[in-house]
Amino acid sequence: MNILFIGDIVGAVGRNALKQQLPSLKTKYRPDIILVNGENAAHGRGITRQIAREFFEWGVHGISMGNHTWDQKEIFDFIDDEPRMVRPANYPPGTPGRGWTTIKGLNGKELVLINLMGRAFLPPLDDPFQKADDILKSLPDRKRPVFVDFHAEATSEKIAMGWHLDGRVAAVVGTHTHVQSHDERVLPGGTAYVTDVGMTGPMNGILGMEKESVLQKFKTSLPVRFVVDEGKWHFHGVAVETDDATGLAKSIKLIRLNEDQFIME
Ligand SMILES: [Fe+2]
Ligand SMILES: [Fe+2]
């Protein structure tokens, strides 16, 4: 099975890049399933029902989230009814939405998408390692690939999750830092791993935000409202190929594009 996962879509610039690039990515990678992280899709903060609907219309099969899940208040109106969207599974019991789901793709292909959030430099949720174990124990069909978006800040915590799940899931990919890391590999047990997929959105700001506002915050330490940036985009994702017999990974490739169509692989 071929899976595309695209890192945090930031604002209108990121959404437009996604819409524009999906047709050529479909031709190049022949994905059975396309996943995106959507936590920054609405002006950099959260996602709306309309944006999620557009992503699905463009061919996205599943959306994962992160610490910005709740930023748009309307999320509470639709997250319970949207089985193609996951928020971090290690929020406490009773939190709206779901932490894992079955995603149906093209050609009858299916996978389990799990979203987890790290605890270093982020709000302290339940233990993501224990939560991952609990979810895997509850899955009935061991042959379906399991794809984990581990939304976390600390590289150590993400590498730890890769080793924790090696041989038990098809992929552990990191999100949240918005900077693509260059450590993609298939771990010895058969789990595709990368510390961070990177972001899709404005390339000349600071993690997708307008640089003046972020600089002001660093220089003054006063409260500053960050504004999502405009201008040229860059686009980051990964292509993972899994073995249908085992549900584990055969390969992982980084995808790194920018608006000037300089393609780096
Ligand atoms: Fe993000
Ligand atoms: Fe995040």
Side-chain angles (χ1 to χ4, degrees), residues 8 37 39-40 67-68 151 176 178:
D8 303 26
N37 183 295
E39 70 147 7
N40 306 110
N67 54 307
H68 288 293
H151 197 79
H176 179 68
H178 290 199

Side-chain angles (χ1 to χ4, degrees), residues 50-101:
Q50 177 59 26
I51 290 172
R53 202 176 280 158
E54 281 179 358
F55 286 177
F56 295 132
E57 277 168 17
W58 299 340
V60 169
H61 300 102
I63 301 172
S64 53
M65 299 292 286
N67 54 307
H68 288 293
T69 302
W70 318 110
D71 288 0
Q72 299 291 324
K73 294 301 165 228
E74 69 171 86
I75 189 79
F76 294 102
D77 299 335
F78 70 92
I79 195 166
D80 281 330
D81 305 321
E82 182 44 79
R84 295 167 292 182
M85 181 184 291
V86 286
R87 47 78 180 157
N90 50 328
Y91 275 104
T95 301
R98 69 211 76 208
W100 66 272
T101 193

Side-chain angles (χ1 to χ4, degrees), residues 88-90 114-118 128 131-132 135 148-151 161:
N90 50 328
I114 301 175
N115 200 183
L116 293 163
M117 193 152 85
K131 191 69 197 180
I135 294 169
V148 178
D149 172 356
F150 189 33
H151 197 79
M161 183 63 81

Side-chain angles (χ1 to χ4, degrees), residues 74-243:
E74 69 171 86
I75 189 79
F76 294 102
D77 299 335
F78 70 92
I79 195 166
D80 281 330
D81 305 321
E82 182 44 79
R84 295 167 292 182
M85 181 184 291
V86 286
R87 47 78 180 157
N90 50 328
Y91 275 104
T95 301
R98 69 211 76 208
W100 66 272
T101 193
T102 300
I103 300 290
K104 295 179 198 314
L106 303 177
N107 311 312
K109 300 289 173 77
E110 288 185 1
L111 59 69
V112 172
L113 174 61
I114 301 175
N115 200 183
L116 293 163
M117 193 152 85
R119 296 189 291 183
F121 312 112
L122 281 167
L125 302 185
D126 294 344
D127 177 357
F129 296 88
Q130 181 65 49
K131 191 69 197 180
D133 290 346
D134 293 346
I135 294 169
L136 292 178
K137 248 179 251 155
S138 72
L139 297 180
D141 177 1
R142 305 294 306 166
K143 284 287 165 59
R144 265 185 314 186
V146 176
F147 198 103
V148 178
D149 172 356
F150 189 33
H151 197 79
E153 178 76 36
T155 51
S156 57
E157 194 176 15
K158 290 154 123 172
I159 294 168
M161 183 63 81
W163 287 117
H164 181 64
L165 295 178
D166 183 27
R168 299 196 284 157
V169 303
V172 175
V173 302
T175 57
H176 179 68
T177 71
H178 290 199
V179 178
Q180 188 174 71
S181 61
H182 200 234
D183 60 343
E184 83 285 6
R185 62 189 280 204
V186 177
L187 296 172
T191 296
Y193 175 81
V194 67
T195 295
D196 208 287
V197 173
M199 62 167 267
T200 295
M203 70 180 294
N204 290 317
I206 297 175
L207 310 183
M209 295 293 130
E210 186 198 63
K211 57 180 175 296
E212 287 75 15
S213 60
V214 182
L215 272 167
Q216 194 187 345
K217 171 85 180 171
F218 278 117
K219 292 197 280 194
T220 67
S221 294
L222 292 171
V224 174
R225 194 170 176 279
F226 293 162
V227 183
V228 72
D229 202 22
E230 295 175 354
K232 290 193 172 185
W233 54 261
H234 58 174
F235 185 112
H236 295 94
V238 290
V240 173
E241 187 184 359
T242 64
D243 183 338

